[in-house]
Amino acid sequence: MSYGFETLAIHAGQDPDPRTGAVVPPIHQTSTYAQDAVGSPRLGYEYSRTQNPTRDALQECLAALEDGRRAFAFASGLAAEDTLLRTACRPGDHVVIPDDAYGGTYRLFARVAERWGLEWTVARVSDVDSVRAAIRPGTTKMVWVETPTNPLLGIADLAALAVLAHGHDALLVVDNTFASPYLQQPLHFGADVVVHSTTKYVGGHSDVVGGALVVADAALGAELAFHQNAMGAVNGPFDAWLTLRGVKTLAVRMDRHCDNAERVVEYLTRHQAVAQVYYPGLAEHPGHDVAVKQMRRFGGMVSFRAAGGEPHAIEICNRAKLFVLGESLGGVESLIEHPGRMTHASVAGSPLEVPADLVRLSVGIETVDDLLADLAQALGGAA
Ligand SMILES: *Cc1c(COP(=O)(O)O)cnc(C)c1O
């Protein structure tokens, strides 16, 4: 029996508690488990870094939502990324990384993994030829992409990149944080690993930090299970519970995020204080056709360039009221930020530097007319 996405979000890994019938999986806030005899843990559980029932429930649910075989939940998105790097790569290996990406991911490669001996090349992930040129045959172990990218909403062609990566015995790793599994399931297009910052849309309420990896391959799954335990950057039971609570409503939240983002895009494209709008749902977006192939809808993230340059972009961010000025994204509340000075300050001077006049919106699920009114006053002039 195969269930639909909404059903899986609510039920996968979340059967009623066998002991009490509780409909919601309990928070198993325990570090250790009683054993019946030496070497005989009662139900297979020994120690919570290795296994915890609340984390298991979240992992099972995330595996189902990405249509993968196994999922692993971590303390943060970056903890998930670090564990993946050190599972799949050795010092001296090479990875291709995106030219537009979460700043912390770039920092992990450039400031941490590089010191450990990992080599990397930046490629334009919306251009398959650019990725092909960056691959070093024999040494490249991973092609790492985000799609849509952060913050310029570029689109990577997952099916084409999977063929390219596999032709070189490299893994295709897809950070699916911006789309969420409701809008895009990278494993269906040949990706080997899906990365999530569950802090964002999966959790969805800006109340918990977490990360996840999802894979289709059993052998890679076993290696990740070993490293999750051996490196220890696990998601705690309460955090796993909060994330599960959030993920139940992922489908309905994402649809409203998309509805509201579409209205915001429509408004911004007509506004004279806006020089350019980045949204993969726009027919003129260079990645639109690929996005149509691999995404259900186009998401809640919207970026735009202020006609008056950087001072104007900063002014817009400072003037917004309902759009909260802050980093992060994917929560029910709308956020606004200036990537150049906030989320992407750490990539200044690198190939990932972002335009100074850029404003990024995480469009929430509030009443859309209230969001448009706030943008109107922040942009200046009549709505
Ligand atoms: C936030 C984010 C991360 C990092 O996740 P944390 O949970 O903050 O460690 C990775 N990738 C993307 C696209 C993100 O937005």
Side-chain angles (χ1 to χ4, degrees):
M1 172 99 191
S2 78
Y3 288 121
F5 188 93
E6 292 83 349
T7 307
L8 293 171
I10 294 164
H11 294 288
Q14 303 167 81
D15 286 341
D17 180 44
R19 197 172 71 82
T20 61
V23 168
V24 173
I27 307 169
H28 289 275
Q29 195 73 42
T30 187
S31 60
T32 190
Y33 306 85
Q35 308 204 4
D36 287 331
V38 173
S40 301
R42 217 163 274 177
L43 293 166
Y45 290 98
E46 291 173 23
Y47 185 62
S48 276
R49 169 163 35 71
T50 319
Q51 278 175 312
N52 177 279
T54 315
R55 193 175 85 224
D56 285 351
L58 173 61
Q59 293 181 159
E60 203 175 308
C61 183
L62 292 176
L65 294 184
E66 287 287 2
D67 202 11
R69 185 186 293 257
R70 294 187 72 172
F72 303 92
F74 295 89
S76 69
L78 284 176
E81 294 182 16
D82 183 36
T83 304
L84 172 61
L85 273 182
R86 289 199 272 167
T87 301
C89 300
R90 310 251 168 303
D93 285 346
H94 174 256
V95 296
V96 178
I97 63 171
D99 67 335
D100 185 40
Y102 178 68
T105 298
Y106 177 74
R107 186 176 54 200
L108 177 67
F109 283 102
R111 306 270 302 274
V112 181
E114 184 179 283
R115 275 180 19 199
W116 177 71
L118 196 71
E119 297 181 16
W120 50 273
T121 305
V122 171
R124 208 157 359 102
V125 296
S126 55
D127 173 1
V128 178
D129 291 331
S130 164
V131 176
R132 185 177 292 113
I135 287 180
R136 295 186 195 161
T139 332
T140 300
K141 291 290 151 57
M142 291 198 307
V143 172
W144 186 295
V145 304
E146 288 181 16
T147 185
T149 63
N150 179 5
L152 292 170
L153 288 314
I155 298 294
D157 185 333
L158 296 178
L161 290 173
V163 170
L164 176 63
H166 296 162
H168 291 276
D169 282 330
L171 298 176
L172 177 64
V173 177
V174 180
D175 184 331
N176 202 27
T177 299
F178 267 37
S180 90
Y182 179 65
L183 299 181
Q184 172 174 279
Q185 292 168 306
L187 299 177
H188 286 175
F189 298 91
D192 301 284
V193 187
V194 176
V195 177
H196 277 287
S197 169
T198 56
T199 312
K200 318 294 169 54
Y201 287 106
V202 169
H205 295 75
S206 306
D207 54 7
V208 61
V209 170
L213 300 173
V214 190
V215 296
D217 182 70
L220 182 56
E223 282 184 61
L224 285 171
F226 171 80
H227 282 84
Q228 183 190 39
N229 179 53
M231 293 173 66
V234 294
N235 198 243
F238 183 52
D239 289 356
W241 184 87
L242 274 173
T243 307
L244 261 181
R245 184 187 212 268
V247 82
K248 285 175 192 279
T249 55
L250 180 62
V252 290
R253 282 189 283 108
M254 286 318 292
D255 270 326
R256 186 58 64 88
H257 281 295
C258 293
D259 291 345
N260 285 359
E262 285 166 15
R263 290 283 304 280
V264 163
V265 166
E266 187 191 358
Y267 176 75
L268 292 174
T269 48
R270 286 188 284 106
H271 203 291
Q272 61 188 18
V274 174
Q276 193 181 350
V277 180
Y278 299 89
Y279 188 66
L282 286 168
E284 61 267 30
H285 185 289
H288 180 68
D289 293 344
V290 174
V292 167
K293 273 197 310 185
Q294 64 195 27
M295 299 180 78
R296 186 198 296 254
R297 295 182 71 180
F298 307 105
M301 299 302 296
V302 178
S303 293
F304 67 91
R305 296 176 83 156
E310 182 176 27
H312 185 207
I314 290 171
E315 208 175 275
I316 294 167
C317 292
N318 287 337
R319 275 205 299 243
K321 293 195 182 82
L322 188 54
F323 276 84
V324 175
L325 179 60
E327 302 195 355
S328 197
L329 59 112
V332 291
E333 66 290 303
S334 293
L335 297 171
I336 190 168
E337 67 122 357
H338 183 262
R341 299 211 179 187
M342 295 172 62
T343 49
H344 289 66
S346 69
V347 296
S350 85
L352 280 77
E353 187 166 292
V354 296
D357 56 1
L358 194 72
V359 175
R360 190 188 78 179
L361 304 177
S362 172
V363 180
I365 64 171
E366 299 95 336
T367 309
V368 70
D369 289 331
D370 296 337
L371 297 178
L372 297 179
D374 190 41
L375 286 175
Q377 68 80 24
L379 288 162

